[in-house]
Each structure stands twice: as structure tokens, then as C-alpha cells.
Amino acid sequence: MERTPITDAAPRSAAFAEQVEPEIEILLRVARSLTGSWSDAEDLVQDTLLRAYQGIDRFDGAHPRAWLLTIMRRAHINTHRRRRPVTADPHTDLEHRTPAFGQSVAGSPEGVGVDQVIDDDLEEALAALDPRFRSVVWLVDVEQLSYQEAADVIGIPIGTVMSRLSRARSRLRKHLAGPQATRRRA
């Protein structure tokens, strides 16, 4: 299916509003986990949005989140080609933050429940994980990205995401079942 290029600003803006704007919040969270700082994350999202606006006429309309995350990953790689990105520690850094662009979003019931369930033991277990494993757990289990979306964000094969997630969950279970976790609950 081939689309005709959008040359008018109005249809381009409408397509952008319909397909891209609903994904801005997830783009910010993923950008934060990629860059390690809020200012760099907002710059990366801005660059991603600009590239998406310029390329919206070439987008087929299927899977906008995957398309945007691919644009973001490539923009991030291009920006930081010579240095390795520092994996963020999002489970502590994202608390009490609101999305950019002046939006204020109330927490979902699931998010509020998850926030209440994460206790000190789990935070300690997450902090003890290698950053490669922690980022996969964060993207899949907390941000609820699919394996393919997480693979696109990190730039690794889907099988590696599944393997790292399995190992990370196993290490979390082992850490939470250890003697120090039992002592704290007693």
C-alpha cells in the first residue's frame, strides 16, 4: 500500500496529531531510560518528534509506537555514536515527575497500585541488577512495552530481550527469597 506524500501543512499536522502525539508520554519515559537525564531525554524526544513530523508522509500508519521508538533509537545512536549510553535507574528517577509539554497526567489505578507494592526489598533487588538486566525489566514489566518494542528501544535482538528478562526475573526472585529479605520481614 503506497501513500501519496503529504504536502499541505494541515493534513500533515492532522496525521501527526493522530498518530504521534498520543505516544509522547511513552517516548519521554523511554528517552529517560536511554539518556539518563531529563534534559537529554526532552532533547531526544524533541529530535524524534521533529524527524517524525518530517517523515510522516512516508509512514504507512501501522504501529506508530514502534515507528517512533525506532526513530528515537536511531537519533540517540547518531547523537551519541562515540560514547556508550549510561543506563538510567528509572525506578528511582521517575518518581514525582510529570510529562514535558505542560501536561499533567493523573496516575492510573495500576500505576498507583504498583507504586504502593514496590517496597524496599524490591527496590534493593532492582538496584542490585546489572544495568542491562534492569533496563529490560523496566521497559517490559513497568513500562509494559512488548518484547519487540523493548528490543527496538535498546537495539538488541528480541531473543536477547527475552533471555535478559528471564535471567533478571530469576535474579530478582533469588534476591527477594534470600536471608536478608526474610530477616526484614520478621
Side-chain angles (χ1 to χ4, degrees):
M1 175 175 132
E2 199 170 315
R3 294 181 67 178
T4 57
I6 301 171
T7 55
D8 269 346
R12 179 183 295 257
S13 295
F16 185 84
E18 178 187 329
Q19 297 171 348
V20 176
E21 287 180 9
E23 303 296 335
I24 290 176
E25 185 178 339
I26 190 77
L27 290 174
L28 284 166
R29 291 192 311 248
V30 172
R32 173 62 175 98
S33 70
L34 283 174
T35 63
S37 79
W38 282 106
S39 61
D40 289 343
E42 288 175 351
D43 289 344
L44 180 58
V45 169
Q46 182 177 2
D47 188 28
T48 302
L49 294 175
L50 179 63
R51 291 174 189 220
Y53 185 79
Q54 292 169 342
I56 195 84
D57 60 328
R58 294 184 303 274
F59 178 54
D60 65 2
H63 310 291
R65 182 178 293 172
W67 177 64
L68 290 166
L69 291 173
T70 300
I71 292 172
M72 178 183 288
R73 182 176 55 87
R74 289 180 181 157
H76 181 67
I77 289 170
N78 288 341
T79 303
H80 302 288
R81 189 173 297 278
R82 296 208 192 309
R83 67 179 176 142
R84 189 174 179 100
V86 177
T87 304
D89 192 7
H91 68 277
T92 57
D93 295 339
L94 288 179
E95 292 179 17
H96 310 295
R97 293 288 185 157
T98 57
F101 311 108
Q103 294 179 349
S104 178
V105 179
S108 66
E110 304 91 37
V112 171
V114 168
D115 288 345
Q116 293 171 350
V117 170
I118 295 182
D119 62 356
D120 294 336
D121 291 338
L122 183 55
E123 286 187 27
E124 182 181 312
L126 282 169
L129 284 177
D130 181 280
R132 296 173 301 153
F133 296 117
R134 186 171 47 237
S135 65
V136 171
V137 168
W138 185 260
L139 291 173
V140 174
D141 290 341
V142 178
E143 297 297 336
Q144 299 180 345
L145 295 181
S146 69
Y147 292 157
Q148 185 61 56
E149 290 170 335
D152 290 342
V153 168
I154 301 172
I156 59 176
I158 191 171
T160 304
V161 168
M162 293 167 33
S163 172
R164 285 182 186 177
L165 187 59
S166 175
R167 289 180 186 156
R169 287 174 177 166
S170 174
R171 290 175 186 179
L172 286 172
R173 279 191 296 273
K174 186 176 179 181
H175 188 277
L176 292 172
Q180 58 188 351
T182 307
R183 271 186 303 197
R184 260 192 230 135
R185 290 189 184 105

